[in-house]
Amino acid sequence: MDIESLQTARLTLCPMRAEHAPALHAVFGDPEAMRFFGETHTDLAQTERWVAGTLAAPPERCREYVLLEDGEAIGKAGLWDVPELGFFLRRDRWGQGLMREALRALIPHLFATLPLDHIRADVDPRNAASLALLHQLGFVETHRASRTIQIAGEWADSVYLELERSNVGG
């Protein structure tokens, strides 16, 4: 199945490809950018393995898009384990509304192309920016849990949110 690219005012969201690994490593290798996402990659080979694993997953289980700004990969967004949403952005692009722009295009597309009744997100409660963004997009909190993931030796809690298909415009 071919997965098409999406266009927004400032971004192109294209299906992830192996050649995106070096640019994505700028995020995976940044401890501050990875603080709430996962383990920091210490070398490019780790990012290449992550991308290869993502590409090996069937498209009905994993739909990852790379965010391109002027042709340069600056982040990623998508469903990494349907219906679980995951996203990150290079730190020098934070606070510019780029992820909001990307997700406003991507979420309706995912609902239109996959048999989903909802999309779920799992967010560290200290990640105020991601929580605010998801609330702006219509996600609602369903529950919380303690000590759900260990990142860089530190246990983190989770806020679980969902967006129902019926709450998505377009």
Side-chain angles (χ1 to χ4, degrees):
M1 161 187 267
D2 283 338
I3 300 170
E4 72 243 27
S5 294
L6 305 171
Q7 194 68 47
T8 71
R10 298 179 289 173
L11 301 169
T12 299
L13 283 69
C14 73
M16 187 177 290
R17 296 189 304 268
E19 62 261 27
H20 292 130
L24 291 176
H25 185 67
V27 182
F28 276 115
D30 179 351
E32 180 65 21
M34 293 299 288
R35 180 170 179 222
F36 303 119
F37 190 82
E39 295 295 329
T40 303
H41 292 187
T42 56
D43 60 51
L44 176 58
Q46 286 178 278
T47 304
E48 290 171 338
R49 284 191 298 274
W50 186 92
V51 169
T54 297
L55 296 176
E60 61 275 4
R61 188 180 71 88
C62 185
R63 291 278 177 95
E64 290 284 7
Y65 290 79
V66 171
L67 282 58
L68 302 174
E69 182 183 43
D70 299 323
E72 180 182 11
I74 61 165
K76 73 102 192 158
L79 300 179
W80 62 272
D81 187 11
V82 171
E84 183 93 14
L85 181 69
F87 54 89
F88 64 53
L89 195 60
R90 217 170 61 197
R91 196 165 15 137
D92 65 337
R93 297 302 197 271
W94 290 359
Q96 300 173 30
L98 292 166
M99 189 56 70
R100 180 181 320 108
E101 182 176 322
L103 293 177
R104 281 190 172 145
L106 182 59
I107 289 170
H109 176 74
L110 293 169
F111 277 120
T113 59
L114 290 168
L116 301 169
D117 59 358
H118 69 278
I119 293 175
R120 182 177 54 237
D122 172 356
V123 181
D124 186 312
R126 299 169 297 173
N127 189 345
S130 288
L131 285 170
L133 172 58
L134 291 167
H135 285 296
Q136 290 170 12
L137 295 169
F139 282 76
V140 295
E141 183 176 331
T142 60
H143 64 288
R144 292 176 179 241
S146 297
R147 297 175 58 90
T148 56
I149 188 171
Q150 195 172 22
I151 299 173
E154 178 184 9
W155 280 102
D157 298 341
S158 289
V159 176
Y160 296 97
L161 305 104
E162 284 188 2
L163 176 66
E164 298 293 326
R165 174 187 288 273
S166 59
N167 293 333
V168 176

